[in-house]
Amino acid sequence: MDTFAEPYTRAGDDISLSAVREHVRLLEERHKANGVHLSGRIIHVSHYLPLICTLTSSPTRDGVLSPPPTPPHVTSDVPPSPTDDLPPSPIVPSSPPHTPRWKLSPRYGHSAMTSGIRSLSETHEQLIVGWTGDILSPVLAPDGAESSPDGDVNPSTGERVPAPRDRIPSTRISLEDKAALEVDLSHYVDKNNLIPTAGTKPITYLPVWMEDNVAHGHYDGYCKQTLWPLFHYLLWQDVATEHASADANYEYYEQANQAFATRLASVLQPGDLVWVHDYHLLLVPRMLRNALHAGAVNGMGSENGGGDVIIGLFMHTPFPSSEVFRCLPRRKEILDGMLGANLVCFQTYSYTRHFTSTCVRVCGYETTSRVIQPPSANASRSGSLVRTKSRTLAGAEKFVGIDVQGHVATVTHCPVGVDAERVARDTLRPGIEPKLEALRTLYPDKKIIVGRDKLDVVKGVLQKLRAFEKLLHDYPEWQRKVVLIQVTSPALTDSPKLERQVSELVAHINGEYGSLDFIPVHHYHQTLRKDEFYALLSAADLGVITPLRDGMNTTSMEFVIAQERTKHSPLVLSEFMGISQHMSDALQVNPWDLGDVAAAMNRGLLMSPQEKTARHAALHKVVTTHTSHTWAAVLVKMLLSQINAQNTARQTPYIPREKLRDVYEKAGKRLFLFDYDGTLTPIVRTPSMALPSADALNALTKLTSDPSNIVYIVSGRDQAFLEEHLGHLPRLGMSAEHGGFIRSPDSAVWKDFTANLDMGWMEEVAEIFRYYTERTTGSHIEMKKSSITWHYRSTDPEWGQFQCRQCQDLLENNLVSKRPIEVLVGKKNLEVRPIAVNKGEIVKRILYQNPDAEFIFCAGDDKTDEDMFRALLLFPPSSTGKATMEPPLSVTLVDNSKEYSDVELAVSPDGVFTTAVGHSSKRTLASWHVTTPEEVVEHMLYLVGEVPQGEELKGYL
């Protein structure tokens, strides 16, 4: 990332919805013209379906009396936006040809996300995959008729929280019931949230079924007791019991995520766009990659050319700093799960910085940048599409990502908005005006400060009340002239302690500053109907929303829209909200600084009409421009931007095991070329600890024992290391220092390719490396005979990477143009070597000396191994004939005493297996891929009829 001052919204995303949709259309046209298959479908994966499912009749439930209750239900964590009336009205069926077994009604909460998703139906077919939630049973009156259930109404989401006897255990839901729900879902249209038009595309709802213990252990357990506190800068013991464990319920979290991934994989089609939503499903992207990888092995998935699925992950919550996140015991599993996506998107730029830093510091991954070409410059009817900081979208756009074994997960940000048009319509409801007048009558000649929050420790209600008390103390002129109306709704988990503290503080303030005829603080712990909510917002002289940490608080945006027709009152916002940078014209405060908050309240109450109008106009423009509809369209645009010719249209297929063995067995002579680090052994923090496993040694022993096989290790390691760990293997050839030295299988003598080269540059490079070593704690220099390498794996990850880039720039700008050298950026290292010495030249030498080889297997994992793959590009595309080879430099350089002629190679195109270790989307010249070093070893053992004896394979995909 280039700067710490990135805008809250990405440049070009704060434009009209029509312009964003036009950009999406142009991107899709470009991809289709380039041969990339797009299905036109978007699949959203969220924790809940946006529907409440009630089983009205079921043959399997006849005669069942009072089924046992499931574990207690805990409601949604996202701050509510009361954009619908209570109680919910049912979705109206479109005359299905059967009698519905299920009654479906809207599930409220997550209104901004749901609104954004539904808006995409204007342009795309959509599928929504989600958990059904607890299955409900209608409560029957004594006469047998269906009556109103006696469960409570959830103030946070606006839905009914069923009484325990209303819930049907998952074990009592039959296969027929499940099938009937899918049929009923296919016949329903949500007319409360989407007005169908002629061009509207369908939305399909796909339920995920889970056992009760898994569903509630996932949601009420790991999500709410571990992840949610962590993402809001709390630790699990702060919100659970004193014996809380951060690892409790992880097994349920994993099982639930696998259920979602399995359901998603069952409906995927080539060219689908997938959006996974929020922290409940952080393992799904990687699990879906696992499913796709299995499909590729079976001839499906990535072998379809451009038919790979593009996965996005959107985090609706904050993301904490690396020092907080690293406390999580399952930190690597969670991060790797997220990094299975092509695009990871957060609400703000600061959250992307925290995530990137966490991946670098906790997992040791490296950041990289990618340049994305937009549609053609003249694609917009009105000229350039959008203006950015220093260019238009007609130019290239740079994305920053995390490199995980060659798979690059792009990291970016895009804030959620509200459905501004709908909120504006809701503020015109006829029931609002009487309630507004009632509030004015109730508090005549008083300034009204309004707050509405969940009763949750991170919402800062206690701190807000103390700040209001300080306002009355520091600014006594406001005593008896201002009231605070604070509405709270139940939080994720019951907090009697916090509720007691709030009640005691309210009583204290009212006792200190109130009287028999005046109460300064009015606290209402209840739900609000839509009319009441908007009347309250409209009546306010000041809005105060000051959570200690929050993602996207939609109440602040609804406040701005509600004030458009009334007072244009100012807004006090916490700087720790995801929305704060987006709404810079609000009065932003540190909620912990009570004096600062009190001063902001005083300033807002005294603000002149002119300043109020100016600030409100700026905030209103922001809120009505970047809406939930724009947010959803921008997500699609960014996901489409990740598709390019090198990424999706060229997926490296997984190596076909049966074909590999078939060619191997038919070949008279075979050639094996292996890199070492990252290919036969995993990359480790201390290079000297990268020792070959028992399985790797067994594979090499079996291969070299066959006289038909020629086996070489082509490594960047020096001669001493290779001799120490592999020298005992008979008939194993070795090349050290990236081709600087070679030892034939039938010889103990090393040949030096650098003897005739000018190596005077090494001291100059060493001096530069020493300069950076002194200033980078934990780095060290490795001097070899043909190259010099600066390692920074043990340094601070971000500082080491920064220093590496600085050193690279210095070398390339001052030495490369003057000396016959090249600079290579490796995995946590920077290497300088002669231009004439590389792995590709050694591979050419080995192949030239063994032209009768009919089978070639070459495996490597990093940039230096691309030289090997390039050397083995022996045939033009679609060639079926034989290839000839000129004498390579690595042959003539060592022995120029005789003449060499071209040789004809016995190998055919189908006999060359260049194999990259890493993700299938890794940019490589190799024809095939495997995901881990263990899989390379496993394939070699398979060729010789052996099986691995170590740990089971753990591929990334």
Side-chain angles (χ1 to χ4, degrees):
M1 296 180 182
D2 299 328
T3 175
F4 287 90
E6 287 282 327
Y8 184 70
T9 55
R10 291 187 59 86
D13 293 346
D14 55 345
I15 59 173
S16 68
L17 177 61
S18 59
V20 178
R21 286 177 173 172
E22 175 67 7
H23 197 170
V24 169
R25 186 187 65 80
L26 294 173
L27 282 170
E28 291 178 328
E29 287 183 357
R30 185 183 71 177
H31 293 323
K32 291 176 181 178
N34 290 336
V36 177
H37 174 68
L38 296 174
S39 67
R41 303 197 314 172
I42 302 174
I43 304 180
H44 299 273
V45 191
S46 61
H47 176 233
Y48 278 118
L49 284 176
L51 307 169
I52 297 175
C53 304
T54 301
L55 185 58
T56 58
S57 63
S58 173
T60 62
R61 293 176 53 241
D62 291 341
V64 176
L65 299 177
S66 302
T70 59
H73 175 70
V74 180
T75 55
S76 172
D77 66 306
V78 175
S81 173
T83 54
D84 294 278
D85 285 324
L86 303 177
S89 57
I91 298 175
V92 181
S94 56
S95 301
H98 67 289
T99 302
R101 185 178 297 185
W102 294 84
K103 178 182 179 180
L104 304 177
S105 57
R107 182 187 302 276
Y108 298 110
H110 302 268
S111 59
M113 180 186 76
T114 303
S115 170
I117 289 174
R118 286 179 171 133
S119 71
L120 293 176
S121 294
E122 296 291 329
T123 55
H124 292 80
E125 178 186 351
Q126 295 187 98
L127 288 76
I128 300 179
V129 178
W131 180 43
T132 59
D134 286 313
I135 301 301
L136 307 185
S137 172
V139 178
L140 300 181
D143 60 0
E146 192 174 315
S147 66
S148 299
D150 60 355
D152 296 328
V153 172
N154 172 12
S156 291
T157 63
E159 66 185 73
R160 181 175 65 86
V161 180
R165 70 170 179 270
D166 295 335
R167 303 185 185 126
I168 302 176
S170 60
T171 54
R172 296 182 180 271
I173 307 298
S174 68
L175 293 177
E176 292 81 3
D177 292 333
K178 295 178 181 180
L181 176 59
E182 300 213 17
V183 173
D184 289 347
L185 285 171
S186 68
H187 287 90
Y188 281 82
V189 175
D190 187 352
K191 295 183 179 180
N192 290 326
N193 293 281
L194 179 67
I195 301 175
T197 62
T200 298
K201 305 295 178 65
I203 297 180
T204 303
Y205 300 102
L206 300 174
V208 174
W209 298 95
M210 292 185 285
E211 296 297 324
D212 290 334
N213 62 328
V214 173
H216 290 280
H218 162 249
Y219 184 67
D220 304 336
Y222 198 74
C223 287
K224 297 309 175 191
Q225 296 180 20
T226 299
L227 290 183
W228 188 90
L230 181 76
F231 289 147
H232 290 81
Y233 285 79
L234 301 173
L235 294 182
W236 28 95
Q237 64 265 24
D238 296 328
V239 295
T241 68
E242 60 183 10
H243 305 294
S245 168
D247 226 14
N249 297 304
Y250 178 77
E251 62 177 309
Y252 296 124
Y253 185 81
E254 191 173 36
Q255 291 174 27
N257 274 251
Q258 187 60 64
F260 276 87
T262 301
R263 185 69 172 105
L264 177 57
S266 69
V267 298
L268 279 177
Q269 296 178 6
D272 282 345
L273 301 180
V274 176
W275 269 111
V276 180
H277 290 273
D278 222 2
Y279 66 99
H280 315 89
L281 305 171
L282 298 181
L283 302 182
V284 168
R286 179 173 179 176
M287 289 176 169
L288 184 57
R289 292 283 173 202
N290 281 329
L292 292 175
H293 167 53
V297 173
N298 296 320
M300 299 169 60
S302 61
E303 290 190 59
N304 294 334
D308 193 36
V309 175
I310 308 301
I311 305 171
L313 170 66
F314 189 86
M315 284 289 289
H316 293 260
T317 63
F319 195 89
S321 71
S322 60
E323 292 305 304
V324 173
F325 189 87
R326 72 189 311 143
C327 298
L328 184 66
R330 298 286 183 166
R331 58 195 188 183
K332 190 173 189 304
E333 290 91 333
I334 295 295
L335 290 174
D336 280 344
M338 298 174 70
L339 292 170
N342 298 87
L343 179 70
V344 183
C345 191
F346 296 89
Q347 297 268 15
T348 73
Y349 172 71
S350 62
Y351 301 161
T352 68
R353 285 198 298 112
H354 292 162
F355 178 72
T356 301
S357 177
T358 301
C359 292
V360 171
R361 291 181 175 276
V362 174
C363 296
Y365 298 140
E366 293 191 351
T367 61
T368 185
S369 60
R370 297 179 55 212
V371 176
I372 304 298
Q373 296 295 333
S376 59
N378 58 358
S380 174
R381 297 186 184 97
S382 59
S384 61
L385 285 174
V386 229
R387 298 296 302 177
T388 67
K389 289 177 289 188
S390 59
R391 53 172 169 74
T392 66
L393 284 183
E397 187 171 4
K398 183 178 180 181
F399 286 88
V400 175
I402 307 297
D403 189 332
V404 184
Q405 298 182 6
H407 167 69
V408 176
T410 300
V411 183
T412 188
H413 65 284
C414 177
V416 178
V418 294
D419 188 344
E421 291 185 4
R422 181 171 185 181
V423 173
R425 289 196 305 269
D426 287 339
T427 62
L428 302 176
R429 295 166 61 95
I432 294 177
E433 190 63 29
K435 294 179 175 61
L436 178 58
E437 288 301 321
L439 285 170
R440 290 169 177 166
T441 303
L442 188 61
Y443 305 107
D445 303 320
K446 300 290 189 296
K447 293 286 188 179
I448 301 175
I449 300 177
V450 168
R452 179 180 177 275
D453 308 272
K454 284 191 300 182
L455 191 59
D456 194 307
V457 63
V458 300
K459 299 303 179 181
V461 176
L462 278 176
Q463 287 76 9
K464 183 193 301 185
L465 290 170
R466 293 190 181 112
F468 180 71
E469 180 183 16
K470 191 165 182 61
L471 170 73
L472 300 178
H473 178 273
D474 292 355
Y475 305 93
E477 62 271 20
W478 287 116
Q479 294 179 18
R480 300 184 63 84
K481 294 182 179 180
V482 63
V483 295
L484 170 63
I485 303 177
Q486 176 63 50
V487 180
T488 57
S489 55
L492 311 175
T493 54
D494 292 334
S495 181
K497 179 181 178 182
L498 179 59
E499 187 172 352
R500 185 181 66 252
Q501 289 175 326
V502 169
S503 298
E504 291 175 352
L505 184 53
V506 169
H508 165 73
I509 297 172
N510 288 337
E512 185 73 21
Y513 296 98
S515 62
L516 290 177
D517 62 343
F518 176 72
I519 300 175
V521 180
H522 298 256
H523 176 223
Y524 302 94
H525 187 54
Q526 64 183 62
T527 185
L528 289 180
R529 303 274 179 172
K530 183 181 290 186
D531 291 351
E532 296 172 327
F533 175 72
Y534 286 117
L536 184 63
L537 295 187
S538 300
D541 294 286
L542 181 68
V544 180
I545 304 173
T546 53
L548 307 180
R549 186 72 57 175
D550 208 352
M552 190 57 51
N553 188 302
T554 57
T555 302
S556 57
M557 292 181 273
E558 291 165 327
F559 177 88
V560 172
I561 297 173
Q563 284 287 325
E564 175 68 10
R565 298 177 56 252
T566 54
K567 303 178 180 180
H568 295 174
S569 298
L571 187 61
V572 176
L573 291 184
S574 166
E575 65 185 54
F576 300 122
M577 298 167 59
I579 193 70
S580 59
Q581 289 177 306
H582 192 33
M583 304 181 73
S584 58
D585 285 280
L587 301 176
Q588 298 192 14
V589 296
N590 176 358
W592 296 100
D593 186 345
L594 303 184
D596 184 29
V597 179
M601 289 181 180
N602 179 64
R603 180 183 175 187
L605 293 172
L606 294 175
M607 188 175 291
S608 68
Q610 295 80 9
E611 185 178 359
K612 286 182 182 180
T613 300
R615 286 179 177 270
H616 173 81
L619 290 173
H620 190 265
K621 180 180 179 182
V622 168
V623 170
T624 56
T625 299
H626 196 92
T627 66
S628 59
H629 295 190
T630 310
W631 163 77
V634 169
L635 291 188
V636 177
K637 183 194 77 172
M638 290 193 297
L639 204 53
L640 287 169
S641 296
Q642 303 310 304
I643 305 174
N644 56 58
Q646 289 75 34
N647 179 27
T648 302
R650 173 61 169 92
Q651 295 283 314
T652 307
Y654 195 85
I655 190 166
R657 177 185 294 198
E658 297 301 327
K659 178 180 178 181
L660 181 72
R661 185 169 183 173
D662 182 63
V663 178
Y664 173 85
E665 292 177 345
K666 293 178 179 178
K669 186 174 184 180
R670 309 148 187 143
L671 186 58
F672 290 88
L673 306 163
F674 299 104
D675 173 43
Y676 183 76
D677 292 283
T679 301
L680 291 179
T681 63
I683 299 293
V684 295
R685 192 173 189 86
T686 305
S688 60
M689 299 303 294
L691 306 180
S693 66
D695 283 334
L697 291 175
N698 183 33
L700 291 174
T701 300
K702 295 290 185 180
L703 288 173
T704 55
S705 65
D706 189 334
S708 298
N709 296 338
I710 305 296
V711 185
Y712 272 88
I713 303 296
V714 185
S715 173
R717 296 282 189 164
D718 59 22
Q719 300 149 271
F721 181 91
L722 295 179
E723 288 278 10
E724 177 183 358
H725 298 290
L726 301 173
H728 64 284
L729 296 175
R731 299 191 66 254
L732 177 65
M734 291 183 283
S735 173
E737 300 190 22
H738 297 298
F741 301 86
I742 189 170
R743 195 197 78 173
S744 301
D746 53 356
S747 173
V749 179
W750 288 87
K751 293 183 179 179
D752 183 0
F753 291 103
T754 65
N756 298 330
L757 300 178
D758 176 15
M759 304 297 289
W761 52 267
M762 291 192 70
E763 182 54 36
E764 296 179 67
V765 174
E767 183 178 352
I768 294 175
F769 280 173
R770 282 193 291 269
Y771 174 87
Y772 282 93
T773 301
E774 292 170 0
R775 289 157 177 80
T776 313
T777 303
S779 65
H780 69 276
I781 302 172
E782 180 184 8
M783 295 288 296
K784 302 176 185 177
K785 294 179 181 179
S786 64
S787 64
I788 179 171
T789 305
W790 183 65
H791 295 273
Y792 61 94
R793 185 171 296 277
S794 298
T795 69
D796 177 273
E798 292 179 291
W799 176 243
Q801 189 171 37
F802 174 80
Q803 290 288 77
C804 174
R805 289 170 178 168
Q806 295 294 308
C807 184
Q808 180 187 1
D809 288 342
L810 181 61
L811 290 169
E812 291 177 343
N813 293 328
N814 291 274
L815 278 184
V816 170
S817 61
K818 304 174 185 177
R819 296 287 192 170
I821 59 175
E822 60 181 342
V823 181
L824 301 176
V825 179
K827 295 180 178 178
K828 302 291 184 180
N829 65 69
L830 191 66
E831 182 175 15
V832 182
R833 69 183 188 187
I835 292 178
V837 175
N838 58 66
K839 291 184 177 182
E841 284 297 323
I842 288 300
V843 166
K844 291 178 182 178
R845 174 186 174 88
I846 296 170
L847 183 57
Y848 183 83
Q849 294 177 340
N850 297 276
D852 53 340
E854 299 174 332
F855 171 93
I856 302 174
F857 180 87
C858 178
D861 72 304
D862 66 13
K863 294 177 182 178
T864 63
D865 301 314
E866 293 299 314
D867 292 329
M868 295 196 295
F869 303 149
R870 185 177 291 104
L872 292 175
L873 294 175
L874 305 171
F875 304 91
S878 303
S879 174
T880 57
K882 297 294 183 179
T884 59
M885 186 176 186
E886 299 176 349
L889 182 64
S890 51
V891 171
T892 59
L893 182 66
V894 174
D895 185 3
N896 55 11
S897 60
K898 60 180 181 179
E899 294 185 0
Y900 295 91
S901 59
D902 295 355
V903 297
E904 184 178 16
L905 302 179
V907 69
S908 65
D910 290 340
V912 180
F913 294 87
T914 51
T915 307
V917 181
H919 193 272
S920 62
S921 64
K922 182 177 184 177
R923 298 184 182 183
T924 179
L925 295 173
S927 299
W928 308 99
H929 93 280
V930 294
T931 57
T932 65
E934 291 82 0
E935 292 178 43
V936 175
V937 174
E938 191 270 341
H939 278 77
M940 296 306 101
L941 289 173
Y942 176 75
L943 292 180
V944 296
E946 298 276 338
V947 294
Q949 301 301 313
E951 292 186 358
E952 59 179 332
L953 299 179
K954 298 178 180 179
Y956 174 72
L957 284 177

